[in-house]
Amino acid sequence: TQLLEQSPQFLSIQEGENLTVYCNSSSVFSSLQWYRQEPGEGPVLLVTVVTGGEVKKLKRLTFQFGDARKDSSLHITAAQPGDTGLYLCAGAWGGSNYKLTFGKGTLLTVNP
Amino acid sequence: NAGVTQTPKFRILKIGQSMTLQCTQDMNHNYMYWYRQDPGMGLKLIYYSVGAGITDKGEVPNGYNVSRSTTEDFPLRLELAAPSQTSVYFCASRRSTDNYEQYFGPGTRLTVT
């Protein structure tokens, strides 16, 4: 089983602050996804990154995939209370893109 | 489209009881998955299926069984419930083509006492 480390586990910030969440592995990902989960619901995909060095933006969220494809980050600019939730990274390795390993998640709370 | 539906939403079982968690998707996805989510532990893959009639074990399959007789349905069976199976269970599906997104159901919260 591949290991995927996600940090921090908890993050509580004020509205308007910036934050970064990290996802790391000792192995090379073939692809990596970020999901967001709200209480009582299933995770919902935010982005998929495939190419080393790739940067994707989704409104105030910026996703980076490391050049070596072993790490990724999620940066939120000017966080809002609506960003509150559990952020999960999920990686695929080798040829099995259909099977994901999830990190433990980062529980983000944005206080008004 | 309803997407991925799961029933029941909540269930309390006594130790040793059996139950089946239902999962149905109406997106004609070949790949389907069962995960469990424990507090602070992310999602762990229990079983998955790449098509009707084909299933395989994930990371934590002990105590569970699955079947995939149709493309739409992927039930998860607990034969002898144990307290360690208290968790939230999520079913997911995705297309078999190069689209990585997994679509998740709303989950089933199971308590075994």
Side-chain angles (χ1 to χ4, degrees):
Chain A
T1 303
Q2 303 286 4
L3 289 178
L4 198 156
E5 299 289 334
Q6 197 172 335
S7 63
Q9 191 173 356
F10 300 97
L11 196 51
S12 180
I13 61 172
Q14 294 300 121
E15 182 175 1
E17 293 183 356
N18 301 333
L19 67 114
T20 302
V21 176
Y22 299 93
C23 184
N24 297 283
S25 172
S26 57
S27 302
V28 175
F29 297 109
S30 55
S31 66
L32 187 134
Q33 300 180 336
W34 286 93
Y35 287 81
R36 179 166 170 261
Q37 184 180 17
E38 299 200 25
E41 298 181 8
V44 176
L45 181 69
L46 295 173
V47 77
T48 300
V49 286
V50 178
T51 305
E54 188 173 3
V55 177
K56 286 191 173 180
K57 294 196 175 189
L58 187 66
K59 297 182 182 178
R60 293 175 293 99
L61 278 62
T62 301
F63 303 86
Q64 285 191 297
F65 201 18
D67 290 341
R69 294 181 13 233
K70 291 184 177 183
D71 59 276
S72 180
S73 64
L74 157 61
H75 183 79
I76 301 179
T77 303
Q80 299 176 0
D83 295 326
T84 293
L86 181 67
Y87 290 82
L88 295 157
C89 65
W93 286 268
S96 56
N97 272 328
Y98 54 85
K99 213 160 61 164
L100 295 176
T101 296
F102 281 81
K104 294 182 178 181
T106 294
L107 186 59
L108 172 65
T109 303
V110 183
N111 303 297
Chain B
N1 287 349
V4 180
T5 57
Q6 292 183 237
T7 56
K9 196 157 180 65
F10 302 95
R11 183 73 187 267
I12 298 175
L13 279 182
K14 293 190 185 303
I15 295 171
Q17 287 185 322
S18 302
M19 77 163 294
T20 299
L21 282 67
Q22 301 291 346
C23 175
T24 300
Q25 53 90 11
D26 62 358
M27 298 173 282
N28 201 32
H29 287 173
N30 282 332
Y31 294 178
M32 294 189 74
Y33 308 84
W34 274 106
Y35 295 92
R36 59 177 289 170
Q37 186 176 36
D38 300 316
M41 295 301 292
L43 285 92
K44 300 282 188 183
L45 182 64
I46 304 171
Y47 270 95
Y48 66 98
S49 169
V50 299
I54 306 170
T55 63
D56 207 348
K57 296 177 180 179
E59 188 181 353
V60 289
N62 291 345
Y64 307 95
N65 278 300
V66 294
S67 59
R68 184 95 183 271
S69 56
T70 67
T71 298
E72 295 77 22
D73 300 306
F74 191 40
L76 178 71
R77 178 87 178 155
L78 283 69
E79 288 294 348
L80 291 169
S84 61
Q85 293 177 305
T86 294
S87 189
V88 182
Y89 292 85
F90 288 99
C91 179
S93 72
R94 58 157 280 191
R95 295 193 329 228
S96 56
T97 54
D98 258 352
N99 177 328
Y100 304 101
E101 178 174 6
Q102 291 190 15
Y103 296 83
F104 285 81
T108 294
R109 184 174 293 275
L110 175 67
T111 302
V112 182
T113 62

